[in-house]
């Protein structure tokens, strides 16, 4: 009987190219033949190297001599230069976008913003292509809609679905109706995939702001009143925008983010059993389709923050209806890589970074252990698991306490976070030895407790730094190290076996961060590893946004057309 080992190398090579990078590495650690295939293939090396940096090929049909974007070897070399430019924060190319307002949105290959308007929202939108293959000084205008037909409060879009979402400005203070319009991004026409071109949200709460997030065929919008004491505590509505079905709504949400394409993180305000006691807050995890969150996560605060903003990018889906005249580049974020959600706790002045994958695992464990009371999977779940901070927080989070960090509403891309600071050093990387009261560097101690500072350190008050935090734990690097070890050995088994069983999804961090505050009952320990890239810049950016290949910063200076956004491109 013929076996896998009887297949020609060409067939085995093609089979490996359609596997996830982690599986390619695992296969290559099993025998010399597969090892040699990986060592001799620039295509396979490119897939693996992309995954190390949290990326994957947008399309799978890349050959060793692919003409679109160069050969696989050329792409591999260009990827190395791109990652070096990220580490140094020195982009190979900078363009600009002239602007008149600050309503903005960044998506795959596009940057959208409002154009001049009358009081009461705006009626025009303009989209610029974030190219990676031109040498122009100004980003190309892709679409301009001078009048979309309604007064718009906020907007969002998804390039992969050719979807443009417009939230209508409330007509007056007594207008509680919340109207959402679903258009095509490429033509500003009613979206053909939507059964209802206009969605109406429930509830009669006063509102004047909203936050829109899209995850595939799910659309979530939080409506809130920014003028109340509980600003950003509002109503969340979750729809399947294609069918128009309202899947979930709650009126006590402080913020939210998509954990994955089918799960949501909720920051919820809770009332104590005693009405006179203070309201407290916790995180809840909801599987889309369930009527009730299945997991509650406690927070280590004595009292709730006055205001909360939850920031994240969107889960990746396969592209389906990308407009033909838009070049999105060859790479996208890898779905299996780490994503990070940021919860900004104003008043406490804390930035809480949360890794998504550990929380997704908690949800999967809960779903495996909880049986719905009926055959209907959307029926209410009566058994909710509460995790104390000590059970979930230390290994899944990093708490940054810093007064002098500012960003935008779109600072996240996958595992990366981008911001501005006027401090040379945001983090105290010295450890304290209570026995001799001397401080030693990390290298001297070989790891240990690292204290996060509140104010940072700066020699001058007019010094500005662009910073990027990357929380990608790069789990595949561990397997790549095993692969290199196996390449150096001569006792590989042609039939398989070896290091494949040593694959691990997690790399135990060697360090921990300690943050103390009057808001905590005790110092908080966090072990989520990350890297910091920092560069001194000559001009201050008032806001910074992050994409897969770009950092976009709004300059403080005025241009002839209004505000100017610098587009820093890191793709070669």
């Amino acid at each position: 009987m013929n076996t896998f080992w009887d297949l020609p190398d060409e067939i085995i090579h093609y089979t490996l190219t359609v596997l996830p990078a982690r599986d390619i590495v695992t296969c290559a650690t099993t025998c010399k033949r597969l090892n040699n295939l990986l060592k001799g293939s620039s295509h396979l090396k490119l897939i693996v190297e992309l995954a190390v940096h949290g990326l994957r090929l947008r399309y799978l049909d890349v050959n060793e001599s692919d003409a679109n974007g160069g050969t696989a070897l050329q792409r591999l070399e260009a990827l190395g230069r791109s990652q070096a430019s990220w580490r140094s924060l020195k982009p190979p190319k900078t363009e600009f976008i002239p602007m008149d307002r600050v309503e903005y949105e960044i998506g795959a290959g596009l940057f959208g913003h409002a154009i001049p308007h009358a009081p009461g929202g705006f009626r025009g939108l303009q989209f610029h292509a974030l190219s990676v293959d031109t040498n122009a000084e100004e980003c190309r205008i892709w679409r301009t809609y001078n009048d979309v037909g309604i007064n718009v409060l906020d907007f969002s879009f998804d390039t992969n679905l050719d979807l443009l979402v417009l939230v209508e400005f409330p007509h007056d203070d007594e207008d509680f109706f919340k109207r959402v319009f679903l258009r095509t991004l490429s033509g500003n026409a009613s979206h053909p995939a939507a059964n209802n071109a206009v969605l109406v949200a429930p509830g009669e709460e006063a509102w004047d702001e909203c936050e829109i997030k899209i995850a595939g065929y799910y659309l979530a919008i939080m409506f809130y009143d920014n003028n109340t004491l509980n600003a950003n505590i509002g109503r969340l509505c979750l729809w399947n925008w294609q069918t128009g079905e309202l899947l979930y709504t709650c009126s006590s949400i402080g913020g939210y983010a998509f954990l994955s394409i089918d799960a949501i993180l909720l920051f919820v305000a809770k009332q104590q059993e005693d009405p006179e006691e203070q309201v407290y807050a916790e995180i809840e995890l909801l599987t889309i389709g369930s009527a009730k969150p299945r997991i509650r996560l406690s927070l280590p605060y004595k009292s709730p923050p006055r205001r909360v903003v939850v920031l994240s990018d969107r889960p990746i889906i396969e592209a389906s209806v990308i407009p033909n005249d838009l070049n999105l580049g060859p790479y996208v974020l890898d779905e299996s890589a780490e994503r990070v959600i940021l919860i900004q706790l104003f008043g406490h002045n804390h930035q809480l970074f949360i890794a998504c994958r550990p929380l997704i695992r908690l949800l999967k464990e809960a779903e495996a252990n909880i049986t719905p009371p009926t055959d209907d999977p959307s029926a209410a779940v009566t058994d909710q698991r509460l995790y104390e901070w000590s059970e979930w927080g230390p290994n899944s989070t990093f708490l940054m306490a810093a007064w002098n960090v500012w960003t935008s509403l779109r600072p996240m891309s996958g595992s990366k976070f981008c911001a501005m600071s006027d401090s040379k050093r945001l983090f105290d990387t010295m450890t304290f030895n209570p026995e001799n009261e001397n401080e030693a560097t990390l290298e001297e101690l070989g790891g240990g407790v690292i204290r996060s500072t509140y104010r940072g350190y700066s020699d001058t008050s007019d010094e500005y730094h662009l910073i990027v935090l990357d929380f990608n734990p790069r789990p595949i690097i561990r397997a790549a190290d095993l692969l290199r070890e196996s390449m150096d050995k001569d006792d590989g088994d042609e039939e398989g076996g070896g290091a494949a069983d040593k694959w691990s999804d997690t790399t135990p961090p060697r360090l921990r961060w300690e943050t103390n505050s009057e808001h905590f009952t005790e110092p908080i320990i966090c072990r989520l590893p990350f890297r910091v890239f920092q560069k001194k810049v000559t001009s201050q950016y008032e806001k910074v946004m992050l994409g897969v290949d770009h950092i976009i910063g709004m300059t403080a200076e005025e241009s002839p057309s209004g505000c100017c956004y610098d587009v820093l491109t890191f793709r070669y």
Side-chain angles (χ1 to χ4, degrees):
M1 173 183 284
N2 292 332
T3 67
F4 175 80
W5 305 107
D6 296 320
L7 294 173
D9 284 352
E10 293 78 7
I11 300 298
I12 296 177
H13 177 273
Y14 177 78
T15 303
L16 291 175
T17 61
V18 299
L19 295 178
R22 120 175 203 179
D23 293 341
I24 293 174
V25 174
T26 302
C27 291
T29 60
T30 61
C31 69
K32 287 183 179 179
R33 184 182 180 188
L34 296 182
N35 248 334
N36 291 333
L37 278 177
L38 177 55
K39 287 191 294 183
S41 170
S42 298
H43 188 178
L44 294 177
K45 288 180 181 178
L46 176 62
I47 295 174
V48 172
E49 189 65 19
L50 284 170
V52 168
H53 299 292
L55 302 170
R56 67 166 175 83
L57 293 167
R58 184 178 296 277
Y59 306 108
L60 296 177
D61 55 345
V62 176
N63 300 314
E64 297 293 327
S65 58
D66 182 62
N68 182 18
T71 66
L73 179 58
Q74 290 171 332
R75 289 191 181 191
L76 192 60
E77 294 171 347
L79 177 64
R81 295 195 298 271
S82 295
Q83 294 305 316
S85 68
W86 271 112
R87 290 191 295 271
S88 63
L89 292 181
K90 295 180 179 178
K93 182 177 66 173
T94 300
E95 299 172 287
F96 75 94
I97 299 174
M99 302 186 68
D100 296 277
R101 279 184 59 83
V102 295
E103 280 82 2
Y104 54 82
E105 182 68 271
I106 185 171
L110 284 178
F111 183 81
H113 63 90
I115 55 179
H117 71 298
F122 55 91
R123 299 182 69 91
L125 291 171
Q126 190 170 80
F127 297 92
H128 293 255
L130 300 178
S131 59
V132 295
D133 55 0
T134 67
N135 295 317
E137 293 184 356
E138 183 175 346
C139 289
R140 173 176 65 92
I141 296 176
W142 181 69
R143 293 287 191 278
T144 299
Y145 303 127
N146 291 312
D147 192 340
V148 296
I150 61 172
N151 287 341
V152 181
L153 174 69
D154 200 2
F155 75 101
S156 186
F157 63 88
D158 191 314
T159 313
N160 293 325
L161 299 168
D162 194 24
L163 175 64
L164 174 62
V165 177
L166 307 174
V167 174
E168 186 178 21
F169 200 95
H171 294 167
D172 52 54
D173 295 339
E174 302 298 326
D175 184 5
F176 301 135
F177 288 102
K178 312 171 184 70
R179 303 175 185 88
V180 182
F181 293 78
L182 307 176
R183 307 278 181 83
T184 57
L185 180 62
S186 59
N188 189 35
S190 295
H191 203 290
N195 290 344
N196 300 309
V198 181
L199 303 176
V200 179
E204 296 184 354
E205 306 89 355
W207 67 286
D208 60 4
E209 295 287 348
C210 66
E211 176 61 30
I212 311 169
K213 293 175 183 175
I214 306 168
Y217 301 117
Y218 298 119
L219 170 63
I221 305 179
M222 189 178 80
F223 304 89
Y224 61 93
D225 187 351
N226 201 34
N227 298 315
T228 64
L229 293 177
N230 291 323
N232 282 61
I233 302 297
R235 175 175 292 278
L236 175 67
C237 296
L238 172 66
W239 291 275
N240 179 320
W241 64 266
Q242 284 193 321
T243 64
E245 179 184 4
L246 181 65
L247 302 173
Y248 177 81
T249 184
C250 180
S251 60
S252 59
I253 301 299
Y256 72 101
F258 282 97
L259 275 177
S260 66
I261 199 67
D262 55 5
I264 288 184
L265 175 148
L266 305 173
F267 192 95
V268 182
K270 294 283 187 178
Q271 179 67 51
Q272 301 275 21
E273 293 183 1
D274 185 350
E276 296 184 358
E277 294 186 11
Q278 193 173 27
V279 174
Y280 70 100
E282 66 181 17
I283 293 173
E284 296 183 347
L285 306 183
L286 171 73
T287 300
I288 296 177
S290 299
K292 186 177 181 181
R294 295 188 173 181
I295 286 180
R296 296 162 54 207
L297 306 175
S298 69
L299 294 170
Y301 291 97
K302 298 177 182 177
S303 61
R306 292 195 303 269
R307 187 169 180 263
V308 174
V309 175
V310 181
L311 305 175
S312 69
D313 66 353
R314 63 193 64 182
I316 302 300
I317 65 167
E318 290 295 334
S320 54
V321 287
I322 296 176
N324 295 328
D325 58 345
L326 189 60
N327 178 16
L328 296 185
Y331 311 134
V332 296
L333 294 174
D334 182 11
E335 295 89 341
S336 64
E338 186 61 270
R339 289 177 59 247
V340 175
I341 292 171
L342 169 60
I343 300 181
Q344 294 182 324
L345 302 146
F346 296 93
H348 295 350
N349 189 50
H350 288 166
Q351 317 249 9
L352 180 63
F353 296 90
I354 303 176
C356 291
R357 291 201 303 179
L359 303 192
I360 293 173
R361 284 195 290 268
L362 290 181
L363 260 180
K364 290 182 178 179
E365 292 173 2
E367 291 173 350
N369 296 329
I370 296 177
T371 302
T374 69
D375 293 334
D376 181 5
S378 64
V381 177
T382 56
D383 186 11
Q384 284 185 307
R385 171 70 190 274
L386 172 63
Y387 288 85
E388 298 296 336
W389 170 263
S390 60
E391 297 180 272
W392 75 274
N395 292 330
S396 305
T397 63
F398 168 64
L399 183 66
M400 180 170 71
W403 295 95
N404 47 356
V405 174
W406 62 93
T407 180
S408 71
L409 293 177
R410 295 294 179 265
M412 314 294 296
S413 178
S415 62
K416 288 189 177 75
F417 162 77
C418 184
M420 288 292 298
S421 175
D422 58 4
S423 290
K424 276 188 175 181
R425 189 177 68 189
L426 280 174
F427 313 108
D428 185 355
T429 56
M430 306 290 284
T431 57
F432 182 71
N433 187 341
E435 295 182 359
N436 56 24
E437 298 184 354
N438 291 322
E439 289 189 339
T441 65
L442 244 89
E443 290 76 12
E444 293 170 343
L445 294 180
V449 177
I450 306 178
R451 295 194 302 278
S452 174
T453 72
Y454 264 85
R455 300 241 176 219
Y457 169 77
S458 179
D459 287 334
T460 60
S461 59
D462 58 350
E463 189 171 286
Y464 302 106
H465 293 263
L466 179 65
I467 61 171
V468 171
L469 274 61
D470 189 356
F471 293 88
N472 177 14
R474 300 185 300 175
I476 201 169
I477 288 181
R478 189 176 183 193
D481 290 337
L482 291 174
L483 174 59
R484 286 190 287 271
E485 293 173 5
S486 65
M487 288 178 180
D488 296 333
K489 296 179 181 179
D490 295 325
D491 55 354
D493 181 5
E494 184 69 21
E495 294 296 325
D501 58 338
K502 297 181 182 179
W503 174 273
S504 175
D505 257 340
T506 58
T507 302
R510 297 177 58 245
L511 307 174
R512 62 178 185 159
W513 291 82
E514 179 178 313
T515 304
N516 201 357
S517 168
E518 62 183 6
H519 302 292
F520 303 140
T521 56
E522 59 184 19
I524 299 302
I525 304 298
C526 298
R527 300 187 180 92
L528 187 65
F530 63 92
R531 297 174 295 164
V532 181
F533 311 133
Q534 182 169 321
K535 177 189 174 183
K536 181 180 177 180
V537 293
T538 56
S539 62
Q540 175 187 357
Y541 290 134
E542 294 181 353
K543 298 179 184 295
V544 284
M545 289 138 279
L546 189 62
V548 176
D549 302 310
H550 304 85
I551 292 176
I552 302 178
M554 187 179 76
T555 61
E557 296 84 9
E558 292 291 323
S559 71
S561 301
C563 297
C564 176
Y565 277 75
D566 286 343
V567 180
L568 314 181
T569 301
F570 292 85
R571 173 73 68 220
Y572 278 87

